[in-house]
Amino acid sequence: SEQLFVEMADRMVAEGWRDAGYEFICIDDCWMAPTRDKQGRLQADPKRFPSGIRKLADYVHSKGLKLGIYSDVGNKTCAGFPGSYNHYDLDAQTFASWGVDLLKFDGCNSDSLELLAEGYRLMSLALNKTGRSIVYSCEWPFYLRPMQQPNYTEIKQYCNHWRNFYDVYDSWSSIKSILDWTALHQDSIVKIAGPGGWNDPDMAMIGNFGLSWDQSVTQMAMWAIMAAPLFMSNDLRHISPEAKWLLQNKEVIAINQDPLGKQGYQLAKDKHFQLWERPLSGQAYAVAVLNHQEIGGPQKFTFPLTFLGNGLACNPACFVRQVLPASRDWGVYSWISSLSVEVNPTGTVLLKV
């Protein structure tokens, strides 16, 4: 309901979320009335959004925040509300007139892959035609993938970020499957990511109930490595101080939002460990060591620093700082040294080199 979004906007300002860089409040599926109005326009559910979306957008903007909304490329949304098929221009104009700043465009109920692709292209053009700056979040490659290999060059031409894989759930198995899928497909997806267009592994579940502390650290660290758009799916009225500390951690957010905009990748796998790196601006690297083991205690992983940055990250020497699970300086290492990292089961140690 609009009341919920108003409360979230208030929380985002009062509790430092906006200042940490979280600026969008996004409405997902089910906000609409079951039918369009007499002019064929989408309308908000009159009971849950009695003041309308324009009023809500004005309120969100008055707080220095932006409003996101949801629609679908097909005849109906995933939950069965009116989709945008055959209404792309009208819906884009409607969203712009309401002051919307982001559109999440789902891919349910499209009759063919051709219509799906055409719909994503048409909505992109329609949004640009409004003259309003609206972030365009797509699910195009996810709906293509079972049948054909997505053309990421084309997708980036039309979309600002795009989902490749199933919805995230509030569980470790979900986070793990997203990371496994990303590592498996990194050769085709990592190179396309950069300013203007990003792979979207879906939302942060931190602050809910399904992830342990170590698993929450893993999601935050790995989403930073993957240059993921950082959206939270949680209730800011009921969030622990620890989860808030993690989600607002300035050093991790700085890695996530690094201006070079390169996505990280998996460098090596060894037994239960994975080693990932992400090139950062200023000749730095973010490095993540992830322990996949789900039982037992903390374990050590040792690797030569020549692994990093094609051997260049520490040549002739480098400064290593641990960012997660807690920040501390590790000091200066020479090119020929090795790094030994102790990692909890299902946990991750995030370093900046």
Side-chain angles (χ1 to χ4, degrees), residues 317-320 330-334 337:
C318 58
F319 182 78
V320 179
W330 283 16
V332 176
Y333 288 77
S334 80
S337 34

Side-chain angles (χ1 to χ4, degrees), residues 44-349:
D45 181 292
K47 283 201 184 67
R48 289 178 294 122
F49 294 87
S51 319
I53 303 296
R54 172 84 235 188
K55 197 84 180 287
L56 180 58
D58 289 345
Y59 185 79
V60 166
H61 293 154
S62 78
K63 296 280 173 180
L65 297 164
K66 295 172 178 175
L67 186 72
I69 210 160
Y70 170 103
S71 186
D72 189 289
V73 71
N75 299 303
K76 288 193 161 111
T77 72
C78 297
F81 291 87
S84 288
Y85 178 67
N86 266 343
H87 296 86
Y88 301 122
D89 277 310
L90 179 61
D91 290 357
Q93 286 157 16
T94 302
F95 297 145
S97 75
W98 288 344
V100 164
D101 305 290
L102 177 151
L103 173 64
K104 176 178 170 180
F105 208 43
D106 218 331
C108 284
N109 303 306
S110 199
D111 292 338
S112 70
L113 290 185
E114 288 69 42
L115 284 172
L116 179 92
E118 181 188 45
Y120 274 108
R121 288 191 287 261
L122 288 173
M123 183 52 96
S124 178
L125 300 171
L127 291 171
N128 280 345
K129 241 188 325 203
T130 66
R132 183 170 181 81
S133 179
I134 299 175
V135 175
Y136 188 33
S137 167
C138 300
E139 309 236 348
W140 186 355
F142 172 62
Y143 284 90
L144 273 189
R145 250 191 196 281
M147 278 67 84
Q148 65 186 71
Q149 175 64 28
N151 175 351
Y152 283 103
T153 310
E154 180 186 34
I155 289 167
K156 184 170 182 173
Q157 197 183 325
Y158 291 102
C159 302
N160 295 120
H161 49 92
W162 48 84
R163 286 271 307 284
N164 292 303
F165 190 61
Y166 294 107
D167 288 0
V168 69
Y169 285 91
D170 186 22
S171 74
W172 171 238
S173 64
S174 172
I175 304 300
K176 205 168 51 171
S177 68
I178 290 169
L179 292 172
D180 289 346
W181 186 93
T182 303
L184 190 64
H185 294 88
Q186 63 184 19
D187 290 350
S188 65
I189 66 169
V190 164
K191 55 182 180 278
I192 195 67
W198 312 94
N199 291 296
D200 180 5
D202 213 1
M203 294 174 270
M205 293 287 121
I206 298 154
N208 296 314
F209 300 93
L211 302 180
S212 71
W213 172 247
D214 285 304
Q215 292 157 6
S216 300
V217 166
T218 290
Q219 188 181 26
M220 193 69 184
M222 296 310 299
W223 263 234
I225 289 281
M226 292 189 292
L230 213 50
F231 291 90
M232 304 180 286
S233 179
N234 53 24
D235 187 341
L236 299 179
R237 298 165 303 183
H238 308 285
I239 192 164
S240 70
E242 295 79 22
K244 183 179 170 184
W245 173 87
L246 184 57
L247 285 160
Q248 291 190 7
N249 186 298
K250 284 188 172 66
E251 283 187 87
V252 188
I253 291 172
I255 291 171
N256 174 265
Q257 299 284 313
D258 184 77
L260 193 61
K262 281 194 181 306
Q263 181 169 338
Y265 38 84
Q266 191 184 91
L267 269 185
K269 267 166 86 163
D270 176 43
K271 294 198 194 71
H272 305 295
F273 286 101
Q274 296 181 11
L275 178 65
W276 293 63
E277 75 172 8
R278 176 181 176 188
L280 303 174
S281 47
Q283 293 177 300
Y285 285 83
V287 176
V289 182
L290 166 60
N291 179 1
H292 248 283
Q293 182 125 358
E294 299 188 12
I295 54 171
Q299 289 190 314
K300 270 209 164 76
F301 177 69
T302 304
F303 63 96
L305 286 170
T306 47
F307 268 27
L308 304 179
N310 287 328
L312 300 175
C314 286
N315 189 1
C318 58
F319 182 78
V320 179
R321 179 171 168 78
Q322 179 181 303
V323 177
L324 287 177
S327 61
R328 56 190 178 93
D329 290 340
W330 283 16
V332 176
Y333 288 77
S334 80
W335 187 59
I336 50 168
S337 34
S338 284
L339 216 52
S340 202
V341 186
E342 189 174 86
V343 197
N344 292 346
T346 71
T348 297
V349 171

Side-chain angles (χ1 to χ4, degrees), residues 5-6 8-14 16-25 55-68 99 101 132:
F5 290 96
V6 163
M8 288 297 152
D10 292 345
R11 287 285 159 131
M12 281 179 75
V13 175
W17 299 99
R18 181 191 65 188
D19 296 340
Y22 294 94
E23 54 176 358
F24 287 90
I25 293 186
K55 197 84 180 287
L56 180 58
D58 289 345
Y59 185 79
V60 166
H61 293 154
S62 78
K63 296 280 173 180
L65 297 164
K66 295 172 178 175
L67 186 72
D101 305 290
R132 183 170 181 81

